[in-house]
Structures are given as C-alpha cells and as structure tokens.
Amino acid sequence: MIGILYSSQVPRAKPLTHEISQWLTSRNVDSWVSRVKDMASKCELVARSSLIVVLGGDGTTLTAAREVAPFNVPVFGVNLGRVGFLSEVTPEAWQSKLERVLDGDYWLERRLMLKGEVWRDGAQISNLSALNDIVVSRGEHVRVVRFHLFVDADHVTTYTADGLIASTPTGSTAYSMAAGGPLLPPQLKNFLIIPVAPHLSFERPVVLHQEAVVKIQVEMVHRALATADGQDEVHLQSGDEVLISKHQNEGLFARVDGQSYFYHRLMQRLSFWSRKQ
C-alpha cells in the first residue's frame, strides 16, 4: 500500500494526487490519500504502507518525513515548491521515477534527525523533533540574547547573538546556509551549531559528532523562542534550558538517482534559485 500526502496550499497538488492515485490503481497498487495537515489521524494507514508519496514544497516534505519517521516508512517527494532540496522528482517526471520505485530499483537514504527537550526549573515542559534544525532565538524582540552553550555537560562558550542554530546535514542547506554555515552531505551523521548575528562572540560554526548532547541555556530580559524546522515553537523564559541530541528516529527517503546526487542537485537548485532573484 502507498500513501499519497499533499499540501492543500498548493493548487496543483490535489489534481496531481488524483492522477497518481489512478495510475497506481491501474497497476493494481492500493493507495490512500490525505492532506499533510491531517496525517496525524492516519497512523494506522502509515504503518501499513510501504511508501509515502509527498506532493508539495520542502516544508510539506519536512512535515511528512517527521510524522512517518517512527514507522520507518520511506518518503518519495514530488516537488511543487520553489527549491525542492528534499524532493526526488519534478511534477513532469514523477511517473518514470515512481515506476522504478515500484520495480524495486531504488535505494534508501537515512537522514539524521534531532530531538529537543525544553526544561524550566528542573522540569521538562516540551519536546521538539526536527529534520532540518532546532533554533533557539530572540523571537520577535529586537534584542540580543545570551546563549550559554554546553556540549556533553562541559561549558564551551557564551554567545551574545540573535540566535543559535542546531542543524543536521539536511538543514545545512536551509537556515544554516543563510547564516554562513557549511554545506554537509546527508550521508554525514554530524550536526552543527551556528550562531546568528553574534556580537563580540565566537562566530565560527561548530561541528559535533552525532552522539553529542548539547545544552543551550538562555539569559535575557524578555522572551525567546525554540523552534523545530521553523514549524513548531516553544516560548522560553530566562534560565530555560534546551537539550538537543540525536533523535531515535531517522528521516527515510526513497531515492532513484545515484548516491552522489546531492552535489549535482544542490548546484542545480542554487543555480535555478539565483536566476529567479
């Protein structure tokens, strides 16, 4: 069984969803359809599925990949967004590549995910999970925050900055790249700490091994935010701590291009986007 998830905010997603569903039916493959925002109620169907086809942009794919990760079901992304770093295929070429997946001519790419725990006064108040990044930032207030960074219980440094980004290799092409971080191929299991607009502070990105445990303690006179993949957020108070480590789940993607696809696709996407500016 194959699930088809689509973004209701993209007009052409629903018609293409219907087209793919009919195509699967013609090949005697059972399928089910849902909007991405409704997929939390589809856990039983996800668990019974061998593949999840996602139609939308990178935000849609991020949401879907996080939700299906506990079920160890791969995602096959059809890019209907602007960039599509995570997607496997364009709307014009979905049929030939999905045919290869059905024939077993594909490989599984496993991507590091992060988990975050927000602690206040010795009690955990929230959980976060991310495929791209967990960001601790000043939020809407135009004032810097002091971020005390600990790695494996050792104090490393204190930043005075707009924020700190804890990024996976997947997220290295997102906010991390915009903040000056390095680009990491998805095969790596390291994650990054990148300061955002540091003031008189250590400004270089730090690369950590996958088993590292990071603690970020915030100090400010106003509220700050912890966000996961730019979608889920928790309001922070001065003294709160955000613990970040490797998630027990991985983002799983079905790929038909060669395993060195990342560099070619990265340059292709960046070149396309620069021409659009």
Side-chain angles (χ1 to χ4, degrees):
M1 181 185 291
I2 292 178
I4 308 173
L5 302 173
Y6 69 94
S7 170
S8 56
Q9 297 180 332
V10 180
R12 57 179 174 160
K14 192 171 183 178
L16 184 56
T17 296
H18 182 65
E19 182 181 343
I20 293 174
S21 178
Q22 286 190 318
W23 181 85
L24 290 171
T25 299
S26 71
R27 282 155 177 74
N28 297 316
V29 177
D30 292 333
S31 65
W32 56 273
V33 173
S34 173
R35 296 182 300 179
V36 169
K37 66 179 183 179
D38 297 332
M39 67 176 300
S41 63
K42 309 293 182 180
C43 291
E44 183 179 342
L45 288 172
V46 173
R48 293 165 49 200
S49 300
S50 59
L51 182 73
I52 301 294
V53 177
V54 181
L55 286 74
D58 280 339
T60 302
T61 307
L62 280 171
T63 300
R66 285 200 315 271
E67 292 291 334
V68 306
F71 302 96
N72 206 36
V73 179
V75 166
F76 179 88
V78 181
N79 180 35
L80 300 180
R82 293 177 296 174
V83 182
F85 280 124
L86 293 175
S87 300
E88 181 63 12
V89 67
T90 64
E92 296 75 27
W94 68 264
Q95 189 168 314
S96 61
K97 289 196 174 184
L98 187 53
E99 183 83 68
R100 289 178 61 182
V101 174
L102 294 183
D103 290 341
D105 182 18
Y106 70 99
W107 56 280
L108 292 179
E109 179 183 67
R110 297 181 178 273
R111 295 197 174 205
L112 177 74
M113 291 178 60
L114 297 177
K115 68 174 181 179
E117 300 175 356
V118 181
W119 290 75
R120 178 176 299 158
D121 298 327
Q124 185 177 346
I125 63 170
S126 186
N127 284 306
L128 296 167
S129 62
L131 181 59
N132 259 358
D133 50 42
I134 294 175
V135 179
V136 186
S137 67
R138 60 175 174 79
E140 69 274 16
H141 296 279
V142 189
R143 299 178 184 177
V144 294
V145 177
R146 289 174 62 83
F147 301 94
H148 305 286
L149 176 68
F150 298 79
V151 178
D152 296 333
D154 291 326
H155 182 256
V156 175
T157 189
T158 294
Y159 297 91
T160 300
D162 284 356
L164 285 185
I165 305 168
S167 171
T168 66
T170 300
S172 72
T173 60
Y175 190 13
S176 170
M177 181 173 67
L183 299 176
L184 302 181
Q187 295 93 334
L188 289 183
K189 300 303 180 183
N190 305 82
F191 65 100
L192 302 164
I193 300 294
I194 306 102
V196 180
H199 178 67
L200 300 177
S201 304
F202 183 69
E203 61 181 17
R204 301 297 184 185
V206 177
V207 181
L208 302 174
H209 63 88
Q210 63 174 322
E211 301 299 334
V213 177
V214 169
K215 180 173 73 174
I216 300 171
Q217 185 181 59
V218 295
E219 178 186 340
M220 67 281 183
V221 295
H222 52 82
R223 285 190 175 183
L225 287 175
T227 59
D229 288 346
Q231 297 172 345
D232 300 326
E233 66 178 40
V234 180
H235 287 273
L236 304 176
Q237 299 176 6
S238 189
D240 286 355
E241 298 175 345
V242 183
L243 270 60
I244 301 170
S245 59
K246 181 181 73 172
H247 203 288
Q248 68 269 26
N249 298 321
E250 295 177 302
L252 195 59
F253 292 83
R255 302 293 188 197
V256 295
D257 289 336
Q259 297 201 22
S260 62
Y261 79 94
F262 171 77
Y263 303 100
H264 170 72
R265 187 174 299 176
L266 175 66
M267 294 300 108
Q268 187 180 54
R269 298 290 197 271
L270 291 178
S271 174
F272 172 80
W273 184 243
S274 65
R275 292 197 303 270
K276 288 290 186 178
Q277 301 305 304

